[in-house]
Structures are given as structure tokens and as C-alpha cells.
Amino acid sequence: MTMSTKKMCDSTTCAAQGHAHNDDEDDDDEDEKQRMAQDDRCWDGNWSCMGLGGMFVVFEDVESLERMEWAGFLEEQQLQQQQEKTSNTGKASSSPLNVHDEFVNLDISSDDQEGWARLHMEVLRPRGLHIASGVMRRVAEGSCPKRIRIRTLDTSSFEELLQHKQAGNKAFSEHRYEEAIERYDEALLLVDSSSFVAPKKQIEQIVNVLSNQAECYLRLKKFKAAGQAATDALLFENGHEKSRMRRAKAALAIAGAPYLLQAQVDLEEIANDEEGQQQQHSRAGVKQAKEYLEQLEEVLEMEKTTLLEKHGSDYDWDLYVRMMKAKCW
């Protein structure tokens, strides 16, 4: 890491050279790496976007996913009807499931503004539902199922998730970061791995847990784990400022042109939230992002010089930058 890069990393990100090797995670299977490397859908820049518990793996087989969700719905329908027939309690049993109540219809083209407005006004907002940002990316790619099952944590499971989150927050406040990560993991175990559409208040808590976990990894100088946790959070909510900033800090700490360019994309996403527009990010976040970007320009210029010296004057830096940023979303 260059000295200029070090200046950009505060005490929560990097403090010493060689920190990228502090990650003690095992390498992925080489065959899986090669397969994923050839599929842009598996990546947000340098970060895997397979999602929490590999949730977005199922999107690789769209037809199979839709059949699986539909089969599950029909199976539950049949079970409920059987329970109604065999009930001897004398009490009215629950009514059969309803397709409209159980699924969100996404058979809408990405450029159908009226269709998306109706979905928001008639389905999502009245029911307090949120569609994961990763799903919206798949919609834009034309690789999303026409209908997706709504997943809702029951009251007791959601309360348990909040308890684990609070325990993690307490451990974090006492600088017990490893313990905090464990508590956050316990919270995430309660989350269904196909929570593509779920109540907004539940998605918000999942995002907060993942983002808090990313901050813990930053404090422990486990930067790749930090970037991955932040990416998982962004797959649920692409506009989450803290997650995007934490991923940028992780990328800055790892350094090297690919990660620095990814950090630039993340920071620009926050910094470009200008006055006069509908602001999604805090003023403090915008200010910090702009400060990082000013320093990053100098570091990237040094990276450019290094690569030109290594590969010769014919090396197309601008093409390389466009190629790397095209993989980021």
C-alpha cells in the first residue's frame, strides 16, 4: 500500500502494511471461482454478490426457482385444505392462502414506469413490503422470475433477531468485536435465504445487522470480510449509506487499482447526492465521501503511472477504468 493510500484510511480501516493478509478465511473452491469469474451476475465489481447465505444463487436458474416457489405454495394450499377437512375443534380454521397475498408479480418490463408505479402504490406501500436491490438488478437484466414469494419472519423470530442485534451492539460498544460478529451471525441465521421480498421493517434490520458486522470487520482489519458483509447489505438496500462507505473503506485498505476504482464508484455514489436534489445521503456522508475522493485522485494517478511503466505506453488506462467500473453497480 502506498503512503498516500494510508493517509486515506482512518483508525477503523488500515493502520499497517500487509493488513490484506490478516483475513484468515479459506479460499473458495477453484472451480467455483472460475465459474463465477465468467459470470458478471456473480459480481458487484470485486465483491461477490451471491448474497446472504448464497441467496442469489437460485436466480441462476430462473425457471427452476419459479417452479419451486409455486410448488411450495400449492403444497401449503393442499395442507391447509386437509387441515380444514380434518379439524374437529369446532373452530373456524384459517382460510386457504391467496396468490395475491403470498406473491409479488414482477412480470413488468424494466422501462414500464406506470407498471412499477402501480406495483408500489397498490402492493408494496400498502403492505409495507421491500424488494431487494439485487432483485431489481435481475429485473433490469431480464433474468428475474415473474413472481416471487413474500417472506415474513414471524413475531417471535423477529424479536429474537432484534435481541441478537442488541447483544451485538452491546459487544461492539465494549470493543468486543469478535463477539459482536458472532451475535450478528446468530441474528442472520433467522433470516430466510430467499428473502427477496419481505416487510420493509424487517429488511431494514437485516441491512443494519450486516452493516454493523462490516464495521466490526473493519475494526479487526479483516477488510475482505468487511467488504463482503457491506456488499450483502447493499444487495438488500443499494442506497444504504453506511454500507457503501464501509465497503469503500475496505477497498481503500486492500488497495490496488481494481479495489481503488471500486471505492471511487462507491464514494461517487454518495458524493453526487448534491444540494437541490432529493437527498438520500447525509451531509456528513457526502462531505466525507468528497474528502476521500480528492485524495483518491492522487492515488489513482500513481497507480496509472505504475501500470504504464510496467506495461508500456501502449497500455490503455482509460479502457481499463471503463472496464472495471462497468462491473460495478
Side-chain angles (χ1 to χ4, degrees):
M1 175 182 294
T2 65
M3 186 62 68
S4 298
T5 307
K6 282 187 181 181
K7 292 179 181 178
M8 299 177 60
C9 304
D10 57 26
S11 60
T12 66
T13 53
C14 58
Q17 293 183 351
H19 49 260
H21 300 290
N22 289 341
D23 287 329
D24 54 4
E25 304 148 0
D26 294 331
D27 290 338
D28 296 330
D29 180 80
E30 285 302 318
D31 291 339
E32 181 70 4
K33 278 187 175 182
Q34 291 177 10
R35 183 189 69 78
M36 291 178 64
Q38 296 173 357
D39 189 348
D40 286 343
R41 295 177 304 171
C42 297
W43 298 97
D44 178 0
N46 301 285
W47 306 108
S48 165
C49 63
M50 303 310 287
L52 180 62
M55 61 187 290
F56 281 94
V57 173
V58 294
F59 270 89
E60 294 179 4
D61 188 352
V62 172
E63 292 183 2
S64 179
L65 171 66
E66 190 170 342
R67 287 197 302 270
M68 179 179 65
E69 294 286 5
W70 187 246
F73 172 74
L74 294 177
E75 185 178 341
E76 290 177 26
Q77 276 278 74
Q78 186 177 22
L79 180 61
Q80 284 204 19
Q81 290 171 352
Q82 289 175 348
Q83 290 174 340
E84 286 182 348
K85 291 180 180 179
T86 58
S87 175
N88 296 316
T89 63
K91 298 179 180 179
S93 58
S94 60
S95 60
L97 302 174
N98 184 286
V99 173
H100 174 75
D101 293 334
E102 292 292 312
F103 287 83
V104 165
N105 179 24
L106 293 178
D107 190 14
I108 309 171
S109 64
S110 59
D111 59 352
D112 184 0
Q113 296 183 2
E114 291 185 3
W116 287 107
R118 284 197 303 273
L119 177 65
H120 176 72
M121 297 295 292
E122 298 174 8
V123 179
L124 300 180
R125 190 168 72 174
R127 299 178 62 183
L129 296 174
H130 175 83
I131 301 178
S133 296
V135 172
M136 299 308 296
R137 180 192 183 190
R138 294 298 168 87
V139 170
E141 293 172 345
S143 60
C144 183
K146 294 180 180 180
R147 54 183 170 231
I148 295 183
R149 192 74 177 268
I150 299 169
R151 299 293 182 182
T152 304
L153 283 174
D154 59 60
T155 302
S156 62
S157 295
F158 187 52
E159 289 177 351
E160 186 178 351
L161 183 150
L162 292 176
Q163 290 171 2
H164 288 309
K165 177 194 170 187
Q166 290 169 358
N169 291 350
K170 185 176 186 297
F172 177 87
S173 67
E174 296 171 356
H175 308 293
R176 293 182 282 113
Y177 303 124
E178 293 281 7
E179 181 181 339
I181 290 170
E182 292 177 3
R183 296 294 174 265
Y184 294 140
D185 275 337
E186 289 172 356
L188 296 171
L189 286 174
L190 297 165
V191 180
D192 191 293
S193 61
S194 57
S195 297
F196 307 115
V197 181
K200 185 175 181 179
K201 64 179 182 180
Q202 295 185 3
I203 293 291
E204 287 174 348
Q205 293 301 327
I206 295 170
V207 170
N208 288 337
V209 169
L210 285 164
S211 192
N212 290 352
Q213 199 171 56
E215 181 64 25
C216 289
Y217 283 124
L218 284 174
R219 301 293 178 97
L220 293 169
K221 299 182 175 60
K222 295 185 176 182
F223 301 113
K224 289 185 178 179
Q228 192 57 61
T231 299
D232 289 345
L234 291 168
L235 284 169
F236 284 103
E237 178 48 74
N238 197 39
H240 194 250
E241 178 184 311
K242 288 184 177 180
S243 296
R244 196 163 290 280
M245 181 63 76
R246 286 164 179 164
R247 188 170 73 170
K249 288 181 178 180
L252 290 170
I254 295 170
Y259 284 99
L260 293 175
L261 289 168
Q262 174 104 45
Q264 188 179 48
V265 171
D266 284 335
L267 293 169
E268 286 174 344
E269 179 70 22
I270 300 172
N272 290 339
D273 196 358
E274 298 288 353
E275 294 284 350
Q277 300 178 351
Q278 184 178 358
Q279 288 193 298
Q280 294 182 336
H281 303 296
S282 67
R283 291 184 178 179
V286 172
K287 180 181 178 182
Q288 185 179 30
K290 288 182 177 180
E291 290 173 351
Y292 276 121
L293 282 169
E294 288 179 3
Q295 300 173 56
L296 184 53
E297 290 292 338
E298 177 186 348
V299 179
L300 283 173
E301 194 61 36
M302 294 171 63
E303 289 286 341
K304 176 181 177 180
T305 300
T306 300
L307 287 173
L308 286 172
E309 290 176 350
K310 180 179 179 181
H311 299 289
S313 58
D314 290 336
Y315 183 78
D316 194 333
W317 167 258
D318 292 336
L319 178 62
Y320 175 75
V321 170
R322 292 200 304 274
M323 179 190 70
M324 292 304 303
K325 289 189 174 182
K327 297 179 180 180
C328 305
W329 58 284

